[in-house]
Amino acid sequence: MAREFTRVGVVGLGTMGAGIVEVFARNGVDVVAVEISEAALARGRATLTRSTDRAVAKGKLAEDDRDALHSRVDFQVGLDALHAVDLVIEAVPEHLDLKRRIFAELDRVCRPDTILATNTSSLSVTDISVATQRPQQVVGLHFFNPAPVMKLVEVVRTVVTAADVVDDVEALCARLGKVDVTIDDRAGFIANALLFGYLNHAVSMFETRYATREDIDVAMKLGGGLPMGPLALLDLIGLDTSYEILNTMYRHGGRDRRHAPTPLIRQMVTAGLLGRKSGRGFYTYEKPGSPKVVPDEQTPAATQQAPESAPESTGGSAGSKPAGPAAVTTVGLVGVGVIATGLVEVFARAGYEVLSVDGDVAPTAGISEAVRASLDEGVARGDLSAADRDATLARITWSATLEQLADVDLVVEAVAEELGGKQALFARLDEICKPGVLLATTTSSLPVIEVAMATQRPADVLGLHFPDPTARRPLVEVVRTVHTSGEATATAQAVCAALGRTTVVCGDRAGFVVDALLFPYLNDAVRMLEAGYASVDDIDHAMKLGCGYPVGPFAVLDSVGLDVSLAIQRSLYREQREPGLAPAPLLEHLVTAGYLGHRTGRGFRDHTGR
């Protein structure tokens, strides 16, 4: 029988602590909410009041329930008020010495049977527990911000935490309507260990001016399917908090250089640029604590606007190079795979005359059938009319010879990810196509410059990376090489705008923006599984429920394909030679065994019965 917790204490009433108070009080548990001073107590009370008033305004909490919630909270100054509680949760800033002092005092104040829990997101629970005479009753209860909304709680046990303590807090999480994952005491636990390497990498990308803050955030929202861009997320978390988490994980998590805080984070913290809480971080906000972003010196002059109709329109984004875009009315698509099929449909539906080419008649017939089937499905769903479908098909010409590309304005290559094959193709396109034609590769991992140098016109060559699934992702990464002209870039941006896509412009580096940030995170998840730290389901739950990701990392890997993921990870490692980027051996072994994900019926999960 699990222990019944009727009265709990919460120490520290910042955003997280006040949120934890609300979680317990909403669920009928009496709470003693403790702060260090009357002023801090007033701030905590105000935070709780704002949160519950917002819930009432949104219709998520009745006024009577709000009033009952507040009646369950006893606000007190000083730890002595916690002498009769069943459980204490500490939620003070991430400083080990401070937490140890609090736990030593709680050990003195609280009843012998009281469970002591820390909400630390990165510090060792073991290091905190040794400040007490009851380490077997100390556990980590890591809630996620905002605590009343986020469903996940990481239950962190040390090597001496009693089994009944773990059982009791797991039952408590269920009572609170939370989903718990129980894990051992390791720096960053699951969610932060995977999240903050990704966030730190995004800061490095911005610091080196590889891409703008807006492009990085837009890329990961539209191309990665994430609810928030990494730099905006860091502003929400707080750069001081993020610095402490990264620093702790670096010092206690094996000194992986990808967790060493990027110098820019330390500089911003020193300058008081902490994110939303201070009114300025990577972005500038209307006032401290406000979520509203206001323009500053880094804000682009104008945002990209997609034309209403489009091959006829050549207007690019305001961020284009001074050189104007060239007119594009006819597009050649080379390839027969899933990406080529999607692009034929995307360009034709946008109004372009499309010539779909491959050297073999049979595969071309296959792509024709696939495009027609996709359009028929669109009609069945009500996404387009039968007349629009027929008009789209009328704009597509099917061919088996590259020579028919002689008069197109743009060629997009979507053949297999093999450098020699792409170089041979571009050499032929160089001979066939008229001068000034934009030549684009959809490669996701190969160096665009190596493809471009197979031609005598490298200024006209760039990358157009359409993140998968091509037909649905609204993002295109426009990849410039050191040779790519301003006109070529402007033309690519105008064409993508005509497709209704948002573009981010970046340099020719492995992975570009999206894959360079996404795949190391996926690789880290495989390493975590490989080490036996957590299961596939627990890791996926942690990232979905704790970080708000639409799907977990293993669901992504099985969908993308483990072989594709391995190839991208290898390209990232080859270019940077960063040990932390080396592909996880488990990923390599699964690919060798033929477990490639959905398309083979088995990857990290078994899909044969679905």
Side-chain angles (χ1 to χ4, degrees):
M1 179 72 70
R3 179 175 177 178
E4 183 70 20
F5 295 93
T6 60
R7 190 171 178 82
V8 304
V10 177
V11 180
L13 302 180
T15 301
M16 180 57 74
I20 295 172
V21 169
E22 182 176 343
V23 168
F24 279 101
R26 270 185 184 239
N27 287 277
V29 181
D30 291 335
V31 183
V32 180
V34 171
E35 260 294 358
I36 194 172
S37 67
E38 290 290 350
L41 201 67
R43 289 193 294 270
R45 190 194 302 266
T47 299
L48 178 63
T49 299
R50 284 194 300 270
S51 177
T52 54
D53 286 350
R54 280 196 302 268
V56 170
K58 292 178 180 179
K60 296 181 178 180
L61 186 67
E63 289 188 13
D64 288 348
D65 290 337
R66 175 197 59 192
D67 296 342
L69 183 160
H70 283 277
S71 71
R72 296 187 191 103
V73 183
D74 179 15
F75 290 94
Q76 295 287 339
V77 173
L79 298 179
D80 285 340
L82 300 170
H83 65 279
V85 299
D86 304 311
L87 165 73
V88 178
I89 301 178
E90 163 273 310
V92 304
E94 290 285 273
H95 300 296
L96 182 59
D97 289 346
L98 172 61
K99 291 180 185 285
R100 280 177 165 170
R101 287 198 301 272
I102 288 172
F103 270 72
E105 186 65 11
L106 290 173
D107 190 35
R108 181 188 66 81
V109 168
C110 296
R111 297 193 319 248
D113 63 337
T114 300
I115 294 174
L116 307 182
T118 173
N119 185 59
T120 183
S121 58
S122 61
L123 295 171
S124 166
V125 178
T126 305
D127 284 349
I128 296 169
S129 73
V130 296
T132 75
Q133 300 299 313
R134 59 176 96 180
Q136 73 281 358
Q137 287 173 237
V138 177
V139 68
L141 281 181
H142 180 215
F143 289 77
F144 289 78
N145 191 33
V149 175
M150 303 304 284
K151 287 291 187 182
L152 184 76
V153 177
E154 290 178 316
V155 176
V156 186
R157 64 191 169 208
T158 73
V159 292
V160 297
T161 304
D164 62 327
V165 169
V166 174
D167 292 342
D168 289 344
V169 297
E170 286 177 335
L172 176 62
C173 289
R175 175 183 170 187
L176 299 175
K178 301 296 185 181
V179 176
D180 73 90
V181 294
T182 299
I183 48 182
D184 295 330
D185 186 18
R186 171 174 144 174
F189 314 135
I190 296 177
N192 282 349
L194 296 180
L195 176 66
F196 276 87
Y198 151 72
L199 297 178
N200 200 38
H201 189 181
V203 177
S204 178
M205 192 175 279
F206 172 67
E207 184 178 39
T208 58
R209 301 186 181 182
Y210 177 66
T212 67
R213 63 187 181 183
E214 288 83 3
D215 277 358
I216 292 169
D217 279 355
V218 165
M220 297 315 295
K221 287 175 65 179
L222 301 185
L226 302 182
M228 182 178 286
L231 302 180
L233 180 55
L234 281 162
D235 275 357
L236 174 62
I237 295 169
L239 271 69
D240 51 345
T241 300
S242 301
Y243 179 82
E244 291 296 337
I245 291 172
L246 282 165
N247 202 34
T248 299
M249 287 197 300
Y250 175 70
R251 289 186 288 107
H252 299 286
R255 297 192 175 269
D256 185 336
R257 287 193 304 180
R258 293 183 309 112
H259 287 148
T262 301
L264 180 59
I265 299 179
R266 178 182 54 78
Q267 293 162 14
M268 293 177 72
V269 170
T270 302
L273 307 178
L274 307 182
R276 288 190 189 183
K277 69 175 77 173
S278 67
R280 186 168 179 184
F282 289 102
Y283 296 90
T284 299
Y285 299 87
E286 188 174 45
K287 60 183 179 180
S290 170
K292 184 178 180 181
V293 175
V294 297
D296 58 21
E297 66 276 6
Q298 296 185 58
T299 304
T303 56
Q304 178 174 307
Q305 299 292 328
E308 304 245 339
S309 62
E312 293 79 13
S313 171
T314 56
S317 88
S320 299
K321 294 286 185 179
V328 174
T329 57
T330 58
V331 178
L333 261 298
V334 183
V336 295
V338 174
I339 293 176
T341 302
L343 290 178
V344 167
E345 180 180 344
V346 165
F347 277 96
R349 286 186 64 171
Y352 288 101
E353 296 294 327
V354 178
L355 180 64
S356 177
V357 180
D358 188 76
D360 188 331
V361 175
T364 301
I367 191 174
S368 172
E369 293 169 2
V371 171
R372 178 177 289 276
S374 177
L375 291 170
D376 286 343
E377 289 175 7
V379 173
R381 291 193 306 267
D383 294 342
L384 77 164
S385 67
D388 288 338
R389 173 199 60 197
D390 296 341
T392 297
L393 288 169
R395 286 191 286 269
I396 305 171
T397 301
W398 310 99
S399 173
T401 61
L402 290 172
E403 281 71 21
Q404 291 197 19
L405 296 170
D407 294 321
V408 301
D409 304 314
L410 162 67
V411 178
V412 180
E413 163 273 310
V415 301
E417 285 285 273
E418 195 276 311
L419 182 59
K422 290 182 186 287
Q423 289 174 321
L425 173 60
F426 271 73
R428 286 199 64 195
L429 293 174
D430 189 31
E431 297 172 355
I432 293 167
C433 296
K434 63 188 180 184
V437 172
L438 181 62
L439 304 179
T441 173
T442 61
T443 183
S444 60
S445 59
L446 298 172
V448 177
I449 188 61
E450 294 195 29
V451 176
M453 293 308 292
T455 75
Q456 300 300 311
R457 54 174 99 182
D460 296 331
V461 180
L462 47 65
L464 286 180
H465 180 224
F466 294 77
D468 190 55
T470 302
R472 294 197 296 274
R473 292 288 190 207
L475 181 83
V476 183
E477 292 175 304
V478 176
V479 185
R480 299 179 303 197
T481 75
V482 291
H483 269 307
T484 303
S485 69
E487 180 182 356
T489 303
T491 300
Q493 289 181 286
V495 168
C496 292
L499 300 178
R501 304 299 175 99
T502 298
T503 59
V504 296
V505 179
C506 56
D508 184 20
R509 278 174 30 182
F512 315 133
V513 177
V514 176
D515 287 354
L517 294 178
L518 177 63
F519 280 87
Y521 147 73
L522 299 176
N523 194 54
D524 285 346
V526 180
R527 289 185 179 279
M528 186 176 283
L529 174 68
E530 187 176 54
Y533 182 64
S535 69
V536 166
D537 287 342
D538 278 354
I539 294 171
D540 274 2
H541 280 318
M543 299 314 293
K544 288 173 63 179
L545 302 178
C547 298
Y549 282 21
V551 294
F554 295 107
V556 174
L557 285 160
D558 277 0
S559 176
V560 170
L562 274 61
D563 52 341
V564 174
S565 303
L566 178 60
I568 293 172
Q569 193 61 39
R570 281 174 172 167
S571 73
L572 295 172
Y573 177 61
R574 278 196 305 269
E575 182 174 271
Q576 300 186 39
R577 295 299 175 182
E578 170 62 53
L581 294 178
L586 177 59
L587 180 61
E588 295 184 316
H589 295 167
L590 288 171
V591 171
T592 301
Y595 296 161
L596 307 183
H598 286 291
R599 72 176 184 274
T600 61
R602 183 169 176 181
F604 286 98
R605 290 185 172 92
D606 187 344
H607 304 281
T608 54
R610 300 184 183 185

